[in-house]
């Protein structure tokens, strides 16, 4: 296919979440044709699954400028920028209207099963960059289609691939067998079924970031309620407790994010949660009295009724395996971006602005953006993703100057304790080390709210 013909093809955007829809808005603004492919039955399918969780970013920080311009002619009214939306608010009051404004540029129930170059698997060099991309899609009714695209922006996120219990990154022995008592999401305790599941029960919460903070706060609130007598949480941390364990607190430039850590601390201080430190789980054993977690050092926790695993997320790279991606061997993030977001080194406030340069791969015109671009790093914020897709759209439109002019100021401090860190006990006690925002990245798109409202 010649270059002129390829230029007429759409840019395939995988995922109709906040970053995918923002990418489409920026492409439209640049005169390019996007085609957004969303696996869910509605836009922002993943966000809707945590609709009960309040963001720790305000409305002003989670509305993309290009998207707002696209929405303006529709009569859309921007919510109060100083208030904190829930995931449900974000989906219904912004993301769904944005998808509606994009119209037939968004296809729902469209699961991408593979991406490659037309007539070229990943081995073939000949004329590779002259070939457009092929995107294989399976629709909800079982039909399949091959879409040809000039470029691919993968904004599919990481929500569908939560990390397991095991401290080595693998499922703990017995984890799969105990699946009916294990959840990888912050529970919606306003839902009667979820409330009944945890009320009066002993629940292990595994994780050290904003999502774990939120779950602890929710369970503490349940323990104080009339129907929650006997509710108890066991907070399982892979490290020790240090000065940074509970995040930035009142020093956090995102106040609601800081409040999450304070809520988790209150849950421990008030006796609604017991903290177990330095516990790296290797197995889950079933017993007559519940589930028992066993650590690599041989320690065994008293039985629990339920386990909530909030140890982060990881990218699904299976459907892009025929592309030549340059990914860091540790974080599974683009190699140019990885050093800037490594949780062993950086906190939220020290992640540098980045755009098309850091997001490029050996395979030209393919980009992983949003949560997926961060791989296993937990420091992502929505405003970061909006800047990513602004830069990429400029590059695809041939405006290299605008693409390379990347400017972004991120809030400092935050929920610290990167999931990739392995602190010695002395370092933990001294408050050394750290990383930031060790929450499941999905929610790092802007989670949390004042502690009473929750967060994730």
């Amino acid at each position: 296919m010649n270059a002129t013909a390829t230029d007429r093809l759409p840019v395939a955007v995988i995922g109709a979440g906040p970053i995918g829809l923002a990418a489409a808005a920026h492409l439209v603004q640049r005169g390019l044709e996007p085609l957004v492919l969303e696996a869910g039955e509605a836009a922002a399918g993943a966000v809707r699954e945590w609709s009960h969780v309040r963001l720790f970013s305000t409305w002003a920080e989670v509305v993309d400028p290009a998207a707002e311009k696209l929405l303006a002619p529709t009569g859309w009214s921007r919510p109060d920028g100083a208030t904190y939306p829930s995931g449900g608010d974000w989906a219904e009051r912004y993301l769904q209207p944005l998808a509606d404004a994009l119209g037939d540029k968004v296809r729902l129930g469209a699961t991408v099963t593979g991406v490659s170059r037309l007539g070229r698997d990943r081995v073939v060099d000949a004329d590779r960059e002259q070939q457009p991309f092929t995107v294989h899609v399976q629709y909800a009714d079982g039909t399949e289609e091959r879409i040809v695209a000039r470029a691919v922006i993968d904004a599919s996120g990481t929500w569908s691939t939560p990390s397991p219990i095991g401290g080595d990154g693998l499922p703990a022995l017995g984890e799969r067998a105990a699946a009916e008592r294990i959840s990888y999401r912050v529970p919606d305790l306003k839902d009667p079924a979820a409330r009944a599941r945890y009320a009066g029960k002993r629940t292990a919460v595994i994780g050290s970031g904003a999502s774990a903070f939120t779950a602890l706060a929710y369970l503490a609130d349940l323990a104080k309620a009339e129907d929650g007598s006997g509710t108890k949480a066991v907070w399982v941390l892979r490290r020790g407790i240090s000065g940074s364990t509970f995040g930035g607190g009142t020093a956090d430039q995102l106040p609601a994010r800081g409040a999450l850590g304070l809520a988790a601390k209150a849950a421990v201080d008030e006796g609604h949660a017991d903290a177990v430190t330095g516990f790296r789980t290797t197995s889950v054993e079933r017993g007559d009295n519940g589930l028992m977690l066993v650590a690599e050092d041989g320690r065994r926790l008293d039985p629990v009724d339920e386990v909530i695993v909030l140890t982060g997320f990881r990218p699904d790279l299976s459907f892009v395996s025929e592309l030549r991606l340059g990914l860091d061997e540790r974080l599974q993030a683009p190699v140019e971006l990885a050093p800037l977001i490594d949780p062993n080194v950086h906190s939220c406030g020290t992640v540098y602005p980045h755009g098309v340069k850091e997001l490029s791969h050996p395979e030209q015109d393919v980009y992983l953006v949003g949560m997926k671009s961060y791989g296993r790093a937990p420091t992502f914020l929505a405003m970061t993703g909006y800047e990513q897709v602004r830069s990429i759209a400029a590059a695809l439109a041939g405006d290299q100057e605008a693409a390379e002019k990347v400017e972004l100021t991120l809030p400092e401090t935050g929920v610290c304790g990167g999931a990739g860190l392995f602190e010695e006990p002395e370092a933990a006690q001294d408050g050394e080390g750290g990383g930031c925002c060790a929450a499941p990245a999905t929610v790092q798109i802007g989670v949390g709210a004042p502690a009473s409202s929750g967060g994730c």
Side-chain angles (χ1 to χ4, degrees), residues 12-395:
V13 179
I14 305 173
I19 310 307
L21 292 173
H26 281 277
L27 290 167
V28 168
Q29 190 175 66
R30 287 283 180 174
L32 303 177
E33 182 69 17
L35 177 58
V36 183
L37 303 167
E38 165 62 38
E41 297 178 356
V47 175
R48 294 174 190 275
E49 291 192 29
W50 50 271
S51 61
H52 59 291
V53 175
R54 196 167 298 279
L55 281 70
F56 59 50
S57 297
T58 63
W59 271 112
E61 295 160 328
V62 296
V63 173
D64 175 76
E68 188 168 8
K69 289 180 181 178
L70 189 64
L71 283 165
T74 71
W76 179 79
S77 179
R78 180 175 182 163
D80 182 354
T83 60
Y84 295 89
S86 66
D89 295 333
W90 203 17
E92 290 300 328
R93 299 179 64 186
Y94 167 61
L95 297 172
Q96 186 61 56
L98 179 54
D100 292 341
L102 287 164
D104 59 7
K105 294 177 174 60
V106 178
R107 292 189 190 176
L108 303 175
T111 300
V112 174
T113 59
V115 184
S116 188
R117 289 279 188 177
L118 182 64
R120 308 289 189 274
D121 64 21
R122 66 181 297 156
V123 176
V124 179
D125 290 334
D127 298 323
R128 185 175 189 86
E129 292 188 356
Q130 283 68 53
Q131 303 304 311
F133 293 93
T134 55
V135 182
H136 286 218
V137 180
Q138 182 171 21
Y139 294 99
D141 62 2
T143 59
E144 294 180 292
E145 182 181 9
R146 187 183 72 177
I147 295 168
V148 183
R150 61 169 293 186
V152 175
I153 298 175
D154 183 355
S156 59
T158 57
W159 179 253
S160 63
T161 47
S163 295
I165 291 177
D168 56 5
L170 301 174
L173 300 179
E175 181 173 347
R176 294 188 181 92
E180 77 279 3
R181 292 194 182 184
I182 299 174
S183 171
Y184 301 85
R185 309 288 189 240
V186 174
D188 180 3
L189 296 184
K190 292 182 180 179
D191 177 77
R195 197 170 182 86
R197 177 175 179 175
Y198 296 102
K201 305 291 179 61
R202 179 178 163 87
T203 300
V205 177
I206 305 175
S208 61
S211 290
F213 292 170
T214 302
L216 291 168
Y218 282 5
L219 291 171
D221 285 344
L222 178 58
K224 300 172 190 176
E226 290 184 6
D227 62 341
S229 177
T231 303
K232 184 78 173 185
V234 181
W235 186 18
V236 181
L237 297 106
R238 293 172 178 171
R239 291 162 298 173
I241 291 181
S242 70
S244 63
T245 296
F246 297 102
T250 57
D252 199 317
Q253 288 189 12
L254 290 176
R257 183 174 61 186
L260 282 177
L262 298 179
K265 187 176 187 301
V268 174
D269 291 345
E270 295 170 5
H272 300 301
D274 295 328
V276 179
T277 62
F279 195 98
R280 292 177 175 265
T281 309
T282 58
S283 63
V284 180
E285 298 179 356
R286 302 173 69 101
D288 294 337
N289 297 320
L291 302 178
M292 288 173 286
L293 304 182
V294 183
E296 62 184 22
D297 60 8
R299 283 184 294 162
R300 304 167 72 89
L301 291 187
D302 290 338
V304 297
D305 301 293
E306 299 285 341
V307 179
I308 299 174
V309 186
L310 301 168
T311 54
F313 290 77
R314 53 188 60 179
D316 177 7
L317 300 169
S318 61
F319 60 87
V320 289
S321 61
E322 285 304 313
L323 298 176
R324 297 177 177 181
L325 302 179
L327 299 175
D328 178 75
E329 68 276 6
R330 293 171 300 162
L331 299 185
Q332 295 178 298
V335 291
E336 292 291 328
L337 176 61
L340 305 181
I341 61 174
D342 186 346
N344 293 286
V345 179
H346 294 286
S347 71
C348 294
T350 60
V351 173
Y352 298 100
H354 59 276
V356 68
K357 176 179 178 294
E358 292 82 7
L359 295 168
S360 294
H361 294 275
E363 193 82 74
Q364 185 178 340
D365 291 338
V366 60
Y367 304 98
L368 310 185
V369 300
M371 287 294 309
K372 192 163 186 175
S373 72
Y374 272 45
R376 300 195 185 193
T379 49
F380 182 75
L381 295 169
M383 60 185 83
T384 305
Y386 295 158
E387 181 64 4
Q388 288 179 341
V389 296
R390 182 208 62 78
S391 174
I392 290 168

